[in-house]
Amino acid sequence: MLWLEPSSGRGRLLPVLLAVLGMAWAEMQPLQLQEEQAPMPGALSRKESFLLLSLHDRLRSQVQPPAANMQRMDWSESLARQAQARAALCGAPAPSLASTRWATPQVGWNVQLLPTGSASFFHVVGLWFAEGQWYNHAAAECAHNATCTHYLVWATSSQLGCGRHPCSGGQAEMEAFVCAYSPGGNWEVNGKTIVPYKKGAWCSLCTASVSGCFKAWDHAGGLCEVPRNPCRMSCRNHGHLNVSTCRCHCPHGYTGRYCQVRCSVQCVHGRFREEECSCVCDVGYGGAQCATKVHFPFHTCDLRIDGDCFMVSSEADTYYGAKMKCQGKGGILAQIESQKVQDILAFYLGRLESTNEVTDSDFETRNFWIGLTYKTTKDSFRWTTGEDQSFTSFAFGQPDNQGFGNCVELQASAAFNWNDQRCKTRNRYICQFAQEHISRWDPGP
């Protein structure tokens, strides 16, 4: 848990709040946002909640260097209740929850204790943002002997809740200030925290789900927010357009975003995916029809994320060729189901590209295939394993089905957010090996 000592001279609110939110992601907790209940007794008033949210959004919209993908935040009563409960414990998590609910990487925390009456909550938020003066965005690190633990502004954090409570005991009366943010962040690669947001023109790298651009009254900066654009598409082969989701309901035997694809395949040891015209092989089998028994090799992972192994190819292939090569090694095309995995892969691929560690004249793009293709039955994309897509990170304006793009790539020009692409395009690709695959590897001599 992160504690900030009572304010010193350096802790004064700067004349200009240095335009960046400080988040101490030291402890995490799963978020329950489905049921928004009434605020807890002693919780912040609606006016205080609104002003704190507005202050966070305003400062997030003015970070320096400018952020291309910073999201606008919404107030969450669920997070506010959790923050108020933690503030009532003077910032400490409940001991009975320390090993369960407070330990999962979904909620980030800022916790600060100050002498009672020495600062308002808005002053405290200013202190957190002011730590930005010590943070070097280009180097992704804090200045030597400085504190930036409350500073790291995670661009994809979209929910906020805060609480405040007096704390008795000790030599002085103290007050606890707590804010919770979701989703969390502060992901590390090789022991170093990656940058919290992408540098660039305001709103230039918003994802499809938040492709609108919110600007404050003075039009300074900008934050990615939910867009309000109508559908501009039609369905083929007697498909029906759902205007509320902007997706086509296709008749039997057709697939694709516009119901433009017709196909069928038979699988020997696996499950048939009509929407993709391909098989999802059982563990131990590969090939186009899952008829080839796989000899599981021993691999060295490029990245390990939450126990899974991710390997980046040094060759190019079509989407289905890449899928078969991953299956032939006993894995699958990468399945990105959280912001954490997306952030780490995007950071790694950006470094890989800049250092030219992988080059091949056969690549048609600088992009990377992942295991996501279009699904017609529920008007969405889904993973090659057959699981529905719940997390998304499509780039602004995507998916647009340009060239009948039914397969999904990590697009280098969009900070490795997602783009739907023609499946015949030759890209590099990322294979993923879960524990069930890794357990079958030959450990070697």
Side-chain angles (χ1 to χ4, degrees):
M1 179 177 60
L2 292 176
W3 296 90
L4 206 65
E5 296 299 326
S7 299
S8 62
R10 182 179 151 275
R12 295 191 304 270
L13 179 61
L14 301 182
V16 177
L17 297 177
L18 294 176
V20 180
L21 168 61
M23 295 184 183
W25 308 95
E27 300 177 27
M28 307 296 179
Q29 175 181 1
L31 178 60
Q32 301 291 336
L33 291 177
Q34 290 79 4
E35 297 183 4
E36 295 289 340
Q37 303 172 7
M40 295 177 60
L44 300 174
S45 68
R46 288 189 177 184
K47 181 178 180 180
E48 289 175 309
S49 301
F50 172 77
L51 292 176
L52 280 174
L53 175 64
S54 298
L55 179 58
H56 276 83
D57 278 338
R58 183 170 183 80
L59 296 182
R60 283 167 65 87
S61 71
Q62 298 175 0
V63 296
Q64 291 298 330
N69 64 330
M70 188 72 70
Q71 289 192 26
R72 184 180 183 181
M73 303 186 83
D74 292 317
W75 186 265
S76 165
E77 286 298 338
S78 175
L79 282 178
R81 289 194 300 273
Q82 296 179 45
Q84 187 64 38
R86 186 163 182 176
L89 296 172
C90 297
S96 61
L97 301 177
S99 61
T100 55
R101 295 176 60 240
W102 298 83
T104 56
Q106 297 180 21
V107 176
W109 295 92
N110 256 353
V111 178
Q112 184 162 4
L113 286 178
L114 289 174
T116 301
S118 65
S120 69
F121 214 144
F122 310 102
H123 187 122
V124 172
V125 173
L127 297 180
W128 295 341
F129 273 83
E131 291 182 8
Q133 65 183 310
W134 309 109
Y135 185 75
N136 185 323
H137 185 275
E141 61 185 15
C142 193
H144 183 63
N145 289 332
T147 297
C148 300
T149 52
H150 299 79
Y151 163 75
L152 294 180
V153 187
W154 212 257
T156 50
S157 294
S158 59
Q159 299 285 322
L160 167 70
C162 300
R164 176 187 59 213
H165 198 274
C167 296
S168 302
Q171 297 180 349
E173 294 295 315
M174 306 292 285
E175 191 170 16
F177 300 89
V178 178
C179 282
Y181 308 86
S182 177
N186 229 21
W187 314 127
E188 294 185 354
V189 173
N190 297 327
K192 184 175 181 180
T193 303
I194 65 178
V195 291
Y197 63 86
K198 297 292 184 181
K199 176 183 175 181
W202 305 109
C203 300
S204 60
L205 288 176
C206 298
T207 59
S209 60
V210 285
S211 56
C213 190
F214 168 79
K215 291 183 177 292
W217 62 271
D218 57 359
H219 304 292
L223 296 172
C224 301
E225 67 173 357
V226 176
R228 296 173 177 83
N229 296 326
C231 301
R232 295 182 179 180
M233 59 181 291
S234 60
C235 306
R236 301 184 180 184
N237 297 309
H238 305 289
H240 172 68
L241 177 64
N242 184 330
V243 294
S244 64
T245 62
C246 295
R247 299 292 186 182
C248 290
H249 291 282
C250 300
H252 181 71
Y254 290 92
T255 185
R257 189 176 185 192
Y258 296 130
C259 305
Q260 76 278 14
V261 179
R262 187 173 185 176
C263 67
S264 63
V265 172
Q266 181 177 3
C267 306
V268 179
H269 298 284
R271 305 186 311 277
F272 173 59
R273 284 196 58 192
E274 181 179 356
E275 301 89 352
E276 190 188 10
C277 306
S278 67
C279 298
V280 178
C281 296
D282 297 335
V283 174
Y285 292 91
Q289 295 184 332
C290 302
T292 305
K293 192 168 181 60
V294 174
H295 172 68
F296 285 84
F298 180 78
H299 292 287
T300 301
C301 301
D302 293 315
L303 285 172
R304 277 190 180 272
I305 307 175
D306 294 336
D308 284 2
C309 168
F310 292 82
M311 295 183 0
V312 179
S313 75
S314 58
E315 61 183 359
D317 210 328
T318 65
Y319 177 88
Y320 295 111
K323 175 188 172 183
M324 291 302 102
K325 287 182 178 177
C326 288
Q327 286 188 171
K329 296 174 182 175
I332 59 174
L333 275 174
Q335 187 162 311
I336 303 175
E337 296 181 286
S338 71
Q339 191 67 53
K340 174 181 180 179
V341 176
Q342 172 67 25
D343 287 341
I344 292 177
L345 286 177
F347 176 82
Y348 181 82
L349 296 178
R351 287 293 178 89
L352 191 68
E353 182 182 57
S354 64
T355 55
N356 292 319
E357 293 180 20
V358 178
T359 58
D360 192 321
S361 59
D362 196 27
F363 300 156
E364 293 184 11
T365 72
R366 295 179 296 127
N367 307 333
F368 296 80
W369 289 126
I370 58 175
L372 192 65
T373 53
Y374 189 72
K375 174 184 178 183
T376 59
T377 55
K378 292 187 178 179
D379 294 327
S380 64
F381 289 83
R382 77 173 181 182
W383 300 106
T384 56
T385 58
E387 296 178 26
D388 292 330
Q389 169 205 352
S390 56
F391 168 78
T392 183
S393 189
F394 278 105
F396 175 73
Q398 304 299 333
D400 61 1
N401 201 43
Q402 183 176 358
F404 302 130
N406 287 330
C407 299
V408 177
E409 63 185 5
L410 300 182
Q411 191 174 46
S413 62
F416 296 104
N417 285 309
W418 305 354
N419 172 57
D420 58 331
Q421 181 60 274
R422 292 182 303 111
C423 301
K424 293 183 179 180
T425 302
R426 297 182 64 81
N427 283 339
R428 283 170 282 185
Y429 52 92
I430 305 172
C431 296
Q432 179 178 355
F433 303 86
Q435 290 300 322
E436 61 177 344
H437 303 107
I438 296 174
S439 65
R440 296 189 176 217
W441 290 354
D442 179 5

